[in-house]
């Protein structure tokens, strides 16, 4: 028996196994954030490869919430139509399609990694003014954001809820809220980036308020049967920043708000963080949140070996294992891992003559 290849039921949805494609920006959207054939083939290939859960890249709930002008979005009915064939193909392979709903905050309007330029994209090159809890840029060469007022914060909550409704119309069976990596929700959570004096800043409860309002609004939008995951940065890895103790409290509150699983990442709010990168380096964070908050978790970060992934689930450190770069290198990792761990890989019929 393999723990990794045991189904996982979250509300009304059952994942066929505990291997997920981690959300990864492809910087390949068409105009206005529409997903393209790239997304259909890229995400579709990982479904053919056997990942039980396919999470899209950070998909913006409003145009100004895109990290780069080439990010996908879900802020109009045209996006619904463009995502629908992609989710249909993923579901037809037996995988569960999920969308990561995101707002990039002060990290919006940046060049994609392989562009000629770095940092903020100027208006003249298709960029825009980002928004954030304050008016300080993330880095000197990023765009200077406008601080959200309370009406602007309310619009963000509404935008997440509206995008969640559109996600269901587009055929997504689960939703992940992106509250990690120094993007908007994390910017409100972290004392390093939230210096507000209104009801969305100050103590931990004030800083958690926006993320919890988004979680409640998304839960209300999708109804009771649809799983809602939330990706958090469990620690800022900086003295005086957000801590794993804060994350245990947040995870409990997220669960009370209707979140089913905390996808446990870290970092991103401060460029000066010193991150102890190594195999499975974020797994202890997922394990601690799972143990102390009693909330299902996902583990991510330098998980590459089938036995390593198996052990994480078998030992009760996490309920789900997310793979990023390893699934870029090898879309068939889940079938190969199943061959090692269960001797009964479920290769698609079309590929059985290969074995
Ligand atoms: C090309 C690339 C794009 C990424 N984009 C996102 C994203 O859109 N949303 C997100 O939450 N994390 C993103 N990440 C982080 C991954 O989801 C993952 O957490 C990270 O790569 C660590 O896992 P790994 O070691 O298995 O790659 C990205 C990572 C890569 C390599």
């Amino acid at each position: 028996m393999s723990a990794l290849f045991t189904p996982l039921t979250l509300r009304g949805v059952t994942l066929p196994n505990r291997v997920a494609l981690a959300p990864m920006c492809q910087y390949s959207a068409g105009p206005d954030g529409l997903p393209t054939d790239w997304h259909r083939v890229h995400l579709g290939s990982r479904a053919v490869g056997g990942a039980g859960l396919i999470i899209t890249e950070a998909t913006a709930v409003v145009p100004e919430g895109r990290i780069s002008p080439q990010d996908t979005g879900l802020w109009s009915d045209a996006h619904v139509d463009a995502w629908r064939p992609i989710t249909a193909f993923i579901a037809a392979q037996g995988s569960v399609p999920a969308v990561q709903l995101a707002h990039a905050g002060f990290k919006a309007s940046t060049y994609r990694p392989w562009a000629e330029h770095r940092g903020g994209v100027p208006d003249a090159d298709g960029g825009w003014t980002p928004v954030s809890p304050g008016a300080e840029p993330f880095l000197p060469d990023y765009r200077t954001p406008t601080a959200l007022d309370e009406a602007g914060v309310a619009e963000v909550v509404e935008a997440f809820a509206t995008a969640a409704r559109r996600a269901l119309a587009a055929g997504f069976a689960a939703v992940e809220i992106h509250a990690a990596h120094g993007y908007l929700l994390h910017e409100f959570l972290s004392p390093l980036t939230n210096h507000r004096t209104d009801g969305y800043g100050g103590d931990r409860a004030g800083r958690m308020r926006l993320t919890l309002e988004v979680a409640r609004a998304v839960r209300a939008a999708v109804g009771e049967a649809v799983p809602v995951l939330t990706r958090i940065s469990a620690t800022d890895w900086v003295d005086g920043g957000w801590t794993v103790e804060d994350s245990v409290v947040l995870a409990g509150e997220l669960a009370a708000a209707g979140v089913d699983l905390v996808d446990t990442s870290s970092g991103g709010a401060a460029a000066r963080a010193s991150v102890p990168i190594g195999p499975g380096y974020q797994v202890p964070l997922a394990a601690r949140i799972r143990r102390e908050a009693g909330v299902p978790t996902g583990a991510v970060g330098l998980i590459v070996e089938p036995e390593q992934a198996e052990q994480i689930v078998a030992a009760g450190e996490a309920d789900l294992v997310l793979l990023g770069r390893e699934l870029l290198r090898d879309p068939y990792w889940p079938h190969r891992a199943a061959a090692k761990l269960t001797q009964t890989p479920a290769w698609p019929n079309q590929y059985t003559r290969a074995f």
Side-chain angles (χ1 to χ4, degrees), residues 22-27 56-58 67 100 176 178 180-181 183 231 263 265 281-282 300-304 322-326 328:
M24 281 182 287
C25 288
Q26 298 295 298
Y27 309 101
T56 70
E57 67 188 66
I67 301 165
Q100 187 184 51
E176 174 167 284
H178 196 350
H181 300 168
Y183 297 116
R231 174 167 273 205
D263 173 4
S265 190
Y281 68 106
Q282 294 173 144
V300 66
L302 289 178
I303 301 167
V304 296
L322 297 95
L323 276 73
R325 290 161 291 181
E326 185 62 14
L328 294 184

Side-chain angles (χ1 to χ4, degrees), residues 10-34:
L10 298 169
R11 300 212 178 218
V13 173
T14 298
L15 315 182
N17 58 53
R18 277 81 179 327
V19 183
L21 173 68
M24 281 182 287
C25 288
Q26 298 295 298
Y27 309 101
S28 301
D32 301 321
L34 293 172

